[in-house]
Amino acid sequence: MKGKTRLENLPLRALAARLLARLCVGQGSLSEALPEADAVLTDSRDRAMLRLMLYETLRTFYRREAALASLLQRPLAVQAKEIEALLLLGLTQLDQGIDSDYAVVDASVEAARALGHPQLAGLVNALLRRALRESSNLYANALTSDQNRFNHPHWLIERIRADWGDRAEAILFANNARAPLWLRTNRLQGDRNTLIAELLAADIQSSPHPFLPDALRANISGDVSHVVGWREGRFSVQDAAAQAAVELLDLKPGLSVLDACSAPGGKLAHIAEREPRLQLLLGLDSDGKRLERTREAMTRLGLRPVLKQADAAIVADWWQGVQFDRILLDAPCSGTGVIRRHPDIRLLRRDSDIGDLVNKQARLLEALWPLLAPGARLVYATCSVLKDENERQIAAFLSRHLDARVHRGEPHWFGTLGEHGSQNLPGEGDADGFFYAVLERKE
């Protein structure tokens, strides 16, 4: 990519291509890239268009890649990775009608020049025009491969099939769907029905979750920061499956609670909102930048948990010697249950990552378990659908700890009940893929 990383002064499609090219070579993630892009995009319509182009291209990435390969006589040079990304974005726009055909072609040619590849502007023009002429057959051959048909890497398809059998295809297709927007009411700032009424007054339709008392699904597209109540901390964006964590913690006044991997702070904030009379609420995270965003979120919501930058597994660095009544371990995981919200996961994650993540999860469980008071509760959570990170992880932990037992208190509506926890699959209940296991330490 010729070492070019700056986003300033780039036309929109060139900026999108630069970001997509970064993702294709494993540099950063969408959640990191989009705030950087927003800083240089002053028009909210451009921000919305950027997200639409990137998300739709990533959701159909392998199919677009196969179509592009069929158009090219030979692969593009490694140095032209941004042009390859630009063409993938163009194919998506043409196929899904994101903009008029002539606008897509003309803007893509302009973007090629802006990216420093004027010699390839003619190629971009020719390939996109050919894609228009051959649109009826362009993707026919792509569907012969499972990777292209399901738009997931082969290794992940095989893992999901091994774990879920005849439910695997439904999981893969659900990962390619658009996710609904769920909000969490800050009950310290007002009740859910009032928020629903305020949104309706602003012409925003919303509906309450049938079982989660703080959750509502809202018909909002784009940036929520301009929606009524956001700046005042009346609500946050949080998927319904993630909001189930606070129900499993069974909070009561006077308890000491640890959120061991708390950034970006969604579950930590929900704990503080649900039970403001805790003796202690401590949020840890090893990533300083993510912890700073957590602080900003707490300030907006009017919450004051104790925040510390630390690796929860290195107990000596942060623990004060008093055992906790509740521990939430929202463990680092593959993210394979939230691909519909983070479609770049399919490019960024590798098969070799899973073993490392399983080891990290086990390390955290081992470090935190002695910090739990007898009779107290640890909630283990992942946004994964892989059983190595979930059911098998908890089974291995129980085999090592005779003082641990599974508490069977999962809500009846949440996913599929397993031997050691509950797994919600992507799209079930309009929620993300999440696993929860509730562990109690025997008296």
Side-chain angles (χ1 to χ4, degrees):
M1 291 190 293
K2 296 186 176 182
K4 297 181 180 180
T5 59
R6 296 179 65 84
L7 304 181
E8 295 88 346
N9 303 317
L10 287 177
L12 180 61
R13 284 170 175 80
L15 190 155
R18 181 153 289 172
L19 294 182
L20 181 59
R22 287 185 192 176
L23 297 175
C24 290
V25 297
Q27 293 180 356
S29 65
L30 262 184
S31 60
E32 295 167 340
L34 290 176
E36 184 184 354
D38 288 346
V40 300
L41 293 175
T42 56
D43 192 323
S44 61
R45 293 169 296 182
D46 286 343
R47 293 178 177 183
M49 177 63 87
L50 176 72
R51 283 163 169 77
L52 180 61
M53 290 189 295
L54 286 173
Y55 275 78
E56 292 307 315
T57 301
L58 289 165
R59 287 190 179 109
T60 57
F61 182 83
Y62 294 102
R63 190 156 57 94
R64 305 292 175 204
E65 198 175 46
L68 177 59
S70 72
L71 293 170
L72 288 165
Q73 291 183 344
R74 59 179 180 272
L76 290 167
V78 173
Q79 296 88 343
K81 198 67 179 178
E82 291 182 345
I83 297 301
E84 181 180 340
L86 180 65
L87 287 164
L88 293 173
L89 289 161
L91 291 177
T92 302
Q93 294 167 74
L94 294 175
D95 185 42
Q96 300 195 5
I98 291 175
D99 207 341
S100 63
D101 294 347
Y102 77 88
V104 172
V105 175
D106 288 352
S108 298
V109 170
E110 177 192 354
R113 297 191 178 102
L115 290 167
H117 295 279
Q119 75 282 7
L120 295 178
L123 177 66
V124 170
N125 180 69
L127 288 178
L128 293 181
R129 291 187 182 279
R130 182 181 165 197
L132 282 169
R133 294 194 303 271
E134 301 178 8
S135 59
S136 59
N137 297 316
L138 186 59
Y139 296 100
N141 292 333
L143 299 180
T144 59
S145 158
D146 279 351
Q147 178 168 279
N148 301 335
R149 186 159 65 99
F150 296 122
N151 282 296
H152 285 67
H154 283 302
W155 70 265
L156 184 53
I157 295 171
E158 293 309 309
R159 276 187 177 269
I160 291 175
R161 280 175 170 164
D163 281 350
W164 294 101
D166 58 6
R167 303 180 72 178
E169 289 197 8
I171 295 170
L172 295 166
F173 285 128
N175 279 345
N176 295 331
R178 296 186 185 184
L181 182 71
W182 286 98
L183 306 181
R184 187 191 74 243
T185 309
N186 181 357
R187 58 172 60 190
L188 299 179
Q189 303 283 350
D191 62 74
R192 183 171 63 177
N193 289 337
T194 301
L195 179 59
I196 290 172
E198 289 176 351
L199 293 173
L200 185 60
D203 292 327
I204 298 172
Q205 299 286 336
S206 61
S207 55
H209 191 282
F211 302 110
L212 290 166
D214 302 320
L216 63 150
R217 180 173 173 172
N219 185 22
I220 302 172
S221 59
D223 188 5
V224 301
S225 65
H226 301 296
V227 174
V228 59
W230 171 265
R231 295 184 186 278
E232 297 78 16
R234 296 288 312 284
F235 68 88
S236 298
V237 175
Q238 187 180 37
D239 187 76
Q243 292 189 47
V246 78
E247 311 299 332
L248 298 173
L249 284 167
D250 187 30
L251 299 170
K252 294 178 175 63
L255 296 182
S256 294
V257 180
L258 169 67
D259 185 348
C261 303
S262 62
K267 297 180 185 67
L268 181 70
H270 200 189
I271 293 169
E273 293 164 0
R274 178 60 69 87
E275 183 47 79
R277 297 165 294 175
L278 296 172
Q279 179 179 337
L280 171 65
L281 175 55
L282 173 60
L284 300 178
D285 205 89
S286 59
D287 188 319
K289 290 183 179 179
R290 283 166 53 87
L291 200 63
E292 185 56 37
R293 291 198 291 272
T294 302
R295 284 194 180 91
E296 293 169 0
M298 298 303 123
T299 299
R300 181 182 66 84
L301 295 166
L303 305 172
R304 294 181 177 83
V306 179
L307 297 176
K308 286 187 178 181
Q309 183 178 350
D311 182 342
I314 306 177
V315 173
D317 286 354
W318 59 269
W319 188 45
Q320 301 298 313
V322 178
Q323 290 181 310
F324 294 96
D325 304 298
R326 300 287 186 270
I327 295 177
L328 173 62
L329 174 53
D330 188 7
C333 72
S334 63
T336 47
V338 293
I339 290 176
R340 60 183 193 159
R341 291 196 189 281
H342 303 281
D344 53 326
I345 286 173
R346 72 190 79 215
L347 300 185
L348 303 180
R349 189 65 68 208
R350 299 286 183 270
D351 191 22
S352 57
D353 295 339
I354 306 305
D356 292 340
L357 287 165
V358 169
N359 291 336
K360 184 178 290 187
Q361 293 153 6
R363 176 170 166 260
L364 283 162
L365 280 166
E366 291 297 325
L368 294 173
W369 187 249
L371 279 54
L372 190 67
R377 177 179 299 192
L378 183 151
V379 174
Y380 175 83
T382 76
C383 53
S384 170
V385 298
L386 303 182
K387 293 187 178 181
D388 280 350
E389 300 180 271
N390 297 337
E391 278 284 340
R392 288 192 278 270
Q393 178 72 268
I394 298 303
F397 176 80
L398 291 170
S399 72
R400 299 191 300 268
H401 292 272
L402 299 180
D403 62 339
R405 64 186 171 201
V406 175
H407 173 78
R408 303 324 311 242
E410 299 95 332
H412 67 89
W413 52 267
F414 187 87
T416 301
L417 186 65
E419 185 178 356
H420 303 113
S422 287
Q423 176 74 65
N424 200 71
L425 296 176
E428 286 188 310
D430 272 344
D432 287 343
F434 250 84
F435 174 83
Y436 287 109
V438 182
L439 302 173
E440 286 186 339
R441 191 171 185 184
K442 298 175 184 177
E443 294 281 0

